[in-house]
Amino acid sequence: MHITFYGAVREVTGSMHLLSTDQDRILLDCGMYQGRRKTAAEKNRVLPFDPGILTNMVLSHAHIDHSGRIPLITRNGFNGRIYCTRATVDACGYMLPDSAHIQESDAEYLNYKTVRSALSQMRPGEDGHTSKRDLKDIKRLLKKNKHRLNAEVIGEYIKRFHLEGVEPLYTAADADQALKAFEGIPYRSPVTIGNNITCTLFEAGHILGSAVVMIRFGDGGNARTVCFSGDIGRYGKPILRDPASDFDGLGSDVDLMIMESTYGNRDHEPVIDLRPRLKQVLNETFDQGGTVLIPSFAYGRTQELLYVIHELYGAGEVPRMPVYVDSPLATNITKVFGEHPEVFDQETHETFLQQGKNPFAFRQVQFTESVEASMALMREEKPHIVISASGMCEAGRILHHLRYKIHHPRNTILIVGYMANHTLGRRILDQGTAYEASGRKGDPPIVKILNKEYPLKARVVKIGGFSAHGDRNEMLRFLKQSNLKIKRIAVVHGEEDQSLAFADRLKSNGFDAMVPRVGQSLTI
């Protein structure tokens, strides 16, 4: 058996590993790279193998950095099945079409800018610049109405003028086709995924439906076991059960553990601090008459925020200001959560379900569907909370909320999750916290949003306890308190410094650990 590491190796996104035997090739995850637009686009378009060689695939969970390139393999020759939990199947039913919509929308917008620039250069005024009237005419020509681009007209101009257009990574039709390959299986129920190869999924505690993947190849004393951690969650958090510790005897001898390291050299705030910290941020912002903007992943983080805000509102600990979930995807994923109470922890059952309450719905929460409603919300000046995608501020409606709110010190940008290098979210976090640490002295930092510069005057606050990833201590706890007997660990899914530091920590605790490089293979 051979394992080749193709993605999320010495970096966080793009999770992808290939397990090969003489007869089968099993893909573990097929994630999308996230980061600088050009670099990510180049990486995402190139698959390191012909998808036609794959037997089947196992998906640890639905986050796009683990699932986002699945439509590429199903479009290019993959004919196997994609095994994951039932909750992950339901979530991907929304996540992948949404990802396709983003790809198509981004391509349309970039093509629109290309055509608009070309037409503008054809209508120079006396001063060499296109007049405002001509610019309005060009925009009117390229749009169906005030908010929608006319992709057909834009495409015609690209062909006519031989301009360099942008193709989406994949389309909505590609995503719909990919969903036909999914097969949901319950936790702790072995399924055959290849010749003499079985797969069993266990609770990872990261997001709804997330799984630790246990793959067993062979029989008896010749059997070999590979365990893929996926993303390991935190302990004692609301909604989901803790990461599994009992692996039903399957982990008695793990030949190779493929282990994530997102927070391999970091400690989170204790989970118990989540509610009081959020209470403090909300009260301080509302006292100033401000709005709290929360860039949040649609899947997992949004629902956890709603859960804790529901608790705070129910206890009367903060003013019950309106809460807007401004993300169609987050709205749909919240429905998925409601359809899978079987994976909730005991606390959620006792606090909400047994009382006949929905943890994620209360009188003050509103789910914003239309673009028009979202644009009206951007201009709202009364105090409120906005939870909007994307979590790293690279796309989605959060960009427009930031444009309207980032320049006023009464507002707060609340960071509640991981921000990868080279993302707008990371720049806002780093520059905003540095400005706060300086006592807000001097000119505020300048950030660019949709190619326009804005002063970062809003407060930037980070609550690390909301992270869905376990920190270095929790990941070590997962390994130590389980019944796993691990021979070797390959550390992946972390920026290089995090992975190397976690590998050193593992070695100091008696584990045989290494950090592979992209394309490197190990033999079992």
Side-chain angles (χ1 to χ4, degrees):
M1 182 189 297
H2 307 276
I3 294 89
T4 306
F5 306 95
Y6 284 121
V9 184
R10 300 186 183 229
E11 60 185 334
V12 175
T13 62
S15 180
M16 181 186 291
H17 314 292
L18 184 64
L19 186 155
S20 304
T21 67
D22 289 342
Q23 294 178 282
D24 295 291
R25 292 176 181 84
I26 307 298
L27 188 64
L28 303 177
D29 284 354
C30 189
M32 183 179 291
Y33 289 97
Q34 297 166 307
R36 286 175 178 153
R37 184 188 297 271
K38 184 177 180 181
T39 303
E42 291 172 351
K43 285 186 174 183
N44 284 325
R45 289 184 185 279
V46 179
L47 292 169
F49 47 76
D50 182 342
I53 70 172
L54 300 176
T55 307
N56 288 305
M57 176 188 158
V58 182
L59 175 62
S60 64
H61 62 285
H63 275 155
I64 289 299
D65 65 322
H66 292 256
S67 69
R69 286 200 285 175
I70 289 175
L72 285 183
I73 66 169
T74 54
R75 187 181 69 190
N76 289 287
F78 172 72
N79 292 307
R81 305 298 294 166
I82 299 167
Y83 294 98
C84 56
T85 65
R86 291 168 177 172
T88 295
V89 174
D90 291 344
C92 282
Y94 294 111
M95 297 283 283
L96 293 181
D98 180 78
S99 176
H101 174 71
I102 291 173
Q103 309 302 320
E104 292 178 313
S105 297
D106 283 355
E108 281 186 7
Y109 182 67
L110 292 171
N111 289 336
Y112 160 72
K113 289 178 63 178
T114 297
V115 174
R116 186 184 67 186
S117 176
L119 292 177
S120 298
Q121 292 175 22
M122 296 176 187
R123 300 188 187 183
E126 293 181 0
D127 60 354
H129 295 89
T130 309
S131 69
K132 290 184 178 180
R133 180 174 180 177
D134 281 343
L135 283 174
K136 285 184 178 180
D137 289 341
I138 292 170
K139 290 179 181 180
R140 194 179 299 115
L141 175 68
L142 302 179
K143 292 186 177 183
K144 288 184 177 180
N145 54 44
K146 191 174 181 180
H147 305 300
R148 293 185 59 196
L149 300 177
N150 193 326
E152 186 176 342
V153 170
I154 292 169
E156 289 175 357
Y157 275 110
I158 286 176
K159 290 180 181 178
R160 184 187 305 177
F161 299 133
H162 304 289
L163 301 174
E164 187 175 349
V166 176
E167 292 291 329
L169 187 63
Y170 51 82
T171 66
D174 295 328
D176 290 340
Q177 183 65 31
L179 294 173
K180 297 176 183 178
F182 278 72
E183 185 147 341
I185 56 177
Y187 285 119
R188 300 172 182 267
S189 298
V191 61
T192 298
I193 61 172
N195 185 49
N196 215 10
I197 305 175
T198 62
C199 170
T200 310
L201 305 178
F202 296 87
E203 300 86 347
H206 174 57
I207 59 170
L208 188 84
S210 60
V212 175
V213 179
M214 194 72 71
I215 293 179
R216 191 121 170 124
F217 171 53
D219 297 310
N222 293 322
R224 295 292 178 263
T225 302
V226 172
C227 183
F228 174 39
S229 73
D231 287 351
I232 297 298
R234 304 201 63 194
Y235 290 82
K237 291 192 73 178
I239 306 175
L240 300 180
R241 293 193 287 266
D242 287 349
S245 58
D246 182 0
F247 288 84
D248 299 341
L250 288 175
S252 57
D253 285 298
V254 173
D255 295 278
L256 180 67
M257 163 69 79
I258 304 172
M259 183 72 189
E260 73 123 325
S261 58
T262 310
Y263 286 99
N265 198 30
R266 298 174 191 163
D267 298 323
H268 292 321
E269 297 176 26
V271 170
I272 196 171
D273 284 346
L274 286 176
R275 183 165 159 176
R277 284 284 287 121
L278 183 59
K279 171 185 173 181
Q280 178 186 2
V281 172
L282 295 181
N283 280 328
E284 288 177 353
T285 305
F286 293 155
D287 286 347
Q288 297 180 56
T291 288
V292 180
L293 295 183
I294 311 179
S296 175
F297 294 113
Y299 190 5
R301 194 65 39 77
T302 291
Q303 292 74 33
E304 189 176 352
L305 285 162
L306 290 175
Y307 184 105
V308 179
I309 293 170
H310 194 171
E311 285 188 310
L312 290 171
Y313 280 19
E317 296 182 36
V318 298
R320 295 182 178 91
M321 298 298 181
V323 181
Y324 297 94
V325 178
D326 191 16
S327 164
L329 176 60
T331 298
N332 288 324
I333 293 298
T334 303
K335 295 176 186 175
V336 174
F337 267 73
E339 293 166 357
H340 290 277
E342 75 277 5
V343 301
F344 293 170
D345 62 13
Q346 187 61 33
E347 179 185 353
T348 302
H349 280 272
E350 293 174 354
T351 304
F352 290 105
L353 300 185
Q354 292 176 10
Q355 310 301 320
K357 297 178 181 178
N358 184 332
F360 317 109
F362 44 99
R363 189 168 62 85
Q364 292 80 15
V365 69
Q366 300 179 48
F367 293 90
T368 306
E369 295 284 353
S370 69
V371 173
E372 290 75 16
S374 177
M375 294 188 70
L377 175 60
M378 293 170 202
R379 297 178 175 86
E380 175 59 64
E381 295 186 358
K382 295 178 181 177
H384 59 277
I385 300 170
V386 175
I387 305 172
S388 185
S390 72
M392 297 187 192
C393 303
E394 282 296 290
R397 296 180 180 181
I398 189 62
L399 293 176
H400 301 282
H401 289 290
L402 288 169
R403 286 197 303 128
Y404 277 84
K405 300 292 195 300
I406 199 170
H407 63 278
H408 205 294
R410 70 167 177 253
N411 299 323
T412 298
I413 301 169
L414 178 58
I415 306 297
V416 293
Y418 181 76
M419 297 292 178
N421 280 334
H422 313 304
T423 61
L424 175 60
R426 184 64 165 264
R427 290 192 292 275
I428 289 174
L429 173 61
D430 290 346
Q431 295 179 35
T433 52
Y435 187 49
E436 291 292 330
S438 74
R440 302 177 69 86
K441 295 178 181 177
D443 294 332
I446 300 296
V447 294
K448 184 177 287 187
I449 303 172
L450 297 174
N451 292 323
K452 192 171 181 180
E453 293 184 338
Y454 297 86
L456 177 50
K457 294 182 180 179
R459 279 200 317 152
V460 177
V461 178
K462 178 174 172 54
I463 302 182
F466 270 104
S467 176
H469 288 269
D471 63 16
R472 59 182 180 175
N473 296 315
E474 289 165 313
M475 289 189 289
L476 191 60
R477 174 182 173 181
F478 164 74
L479 296 173
K480 283 190 166 185
Q481 79 173 28
S482 72
N483 63 345
L484 300 175
K485 296 179 182 178
I486 304 166
K487 295 179 181 177
R488 194 177 191 190
I489 299 176
V491 179
V492 299
H493 202 284
E495 291 170 3
E496 188 169 35
D497 63 330
Q498 298 296 310
S499 293
L500 292 171
F502 190 56
D504 287 342
R505 187 176 180 86
L506 291 174
K507 291 173 186 176
S508 68
N509 279 271
F511 292 99
D512 179 4
M514 52 84 68
V515 182
R517 295 188 179 275
V518 176
Q520 183 175 348
S521 295
L522 296 181
T523 300
I524 298 175

